[in-house]
Amino acid sequence: MTTDAAASAADGARPAATGSADERDARWLARAIELAVENVAQGGGPFGAVIVKDGVLVAEGQNRVTPNLDPTAHAEVMAIRAACQAIGDFSLAGYTLYTSCEPCPLCMAASLWARLDRVVYAADRHDAAVGGFDDRAFYDLFAAPRETWHLPIEGVRPANAAAPFEAWNAHGARTDY
């Protein structure tokens, strides 16, 4: 989160609490797009995201795949990580993710696991493809039978394969998610 955004979130500022829902969405999408453009100048990918609850900015994220050498450091994932740290919970139920571009399959899965209430995006997957970020291969791959994938996905089941889940179920102090 930027310093200004952190200060805004910390003092409870509600920069987008006024206006219609469309105006609030437009305002937060504008911030996500601004983060994406700034990130390009900083050597990152052209993606930005913000997480908001009740008109309050909770976290921001920018694509840091190449600077961090982390293929999972997508803007949406970075924003989700920052938001969870900021609120001290792994659930973002009640929160909205605004992102500069339609989430890829990785980011959509992260959004689902985070239990976000809503995802709002600006550019779509076709715009991303024009910029060299074509996720079509992933969508096509997920629709195809696994045995046709270029990446072999193999199940090998040793006798104790279920042991981690047996331990989980027997652990009385676990935190279900």
Side-chain angles (χ1 to χ4, degrees), residues 153-162:
I153 307 292
E154 302 171 13
V156 176
R157 189 165 182 87
N160 65 343

Side-chain angles (χ1 to χ4, degrees), residues 3 13-15 23 26 28 32-33 55-56 69 73 81-82 86 93 106-107 109 117 126 169 172 174:
T3 304
R14 296 178 179 267
E23 290 169 333
W28 290 119
I33 293 167
V56 177
L69 304 177
R81 290 173 181 165
L106 169 77
C107 296
D117 276 16
H126 307 291
N169 287 331
R174 71 177 181 260

Side-chain angles (χ1 to χ4, degrees), residues 7-172:
S8 176
D11 69 14
R14 296 178 179 267
T18 60
S20 70
D22 287 344
E23 290 169 333
R24 289 190 302 271
D25 286 350
R27 199 171 292 150
W28 290 119
L29 284 173
R31 178 60 186 150
I33 293 167
E34 179 181 29
L35 286 167
V37 172
E38 288 173 2
N39 200 47
V40 171
Q42 298 166 4
F47 303 95
V50 299
I51 295 182
V52 175
K53 183 173 184 180
D54 299 328
V56 177
L57 175 65
V58 176
E60 296 180 330
Q62 294 170 301
N63 180 287
R64 305 305 293 165
V65 169
T66 53
N68 292 8
L69 304 177
D70 179 353
T72 68
H74 293 200
E76 297 90 339
V77 172
M78 299 299 282
I80 288 168
R81 290 173 181 165
C84 289
Q85 290 298 305
I87 68 167
D89 199 344
F90 56 80
S91 174
L92 295 176
Y95 294 74
T96 299
L97 168 68
Y98 292 92
T99 180
S100 62
C101 188
E102 179 179 2
C104 72
L106 169 77
C107 296
M108 210 52 244
S111 297
L112 292 166
W113 276 109
R115 295 171 180 81
L116 287 157
D117 276 16
R118 189 167 172 240
V119 175
V120 182
Y121 63 88
D124 64 19
R125 66 180 79 173
H126 307 291
D127 297 310
V130 170
F133 297 88
D134 193 350
D135 296 332
R136 183 179 18 228
F138 295 117
Y139 292 106
D140 292 346
L141 182 68
F142 295 146
R146 277 193 181 171
E147 60 272 7
T148 66
W149 291 17
H150 70 280
L151 172 66
I153 307 292
E154 302 171 13
V156 176
R157 189 165 182 87
N160 65 343
F165 300 104
E166 292 164 358
W168 173 258
N169 287 331
H171 186 60

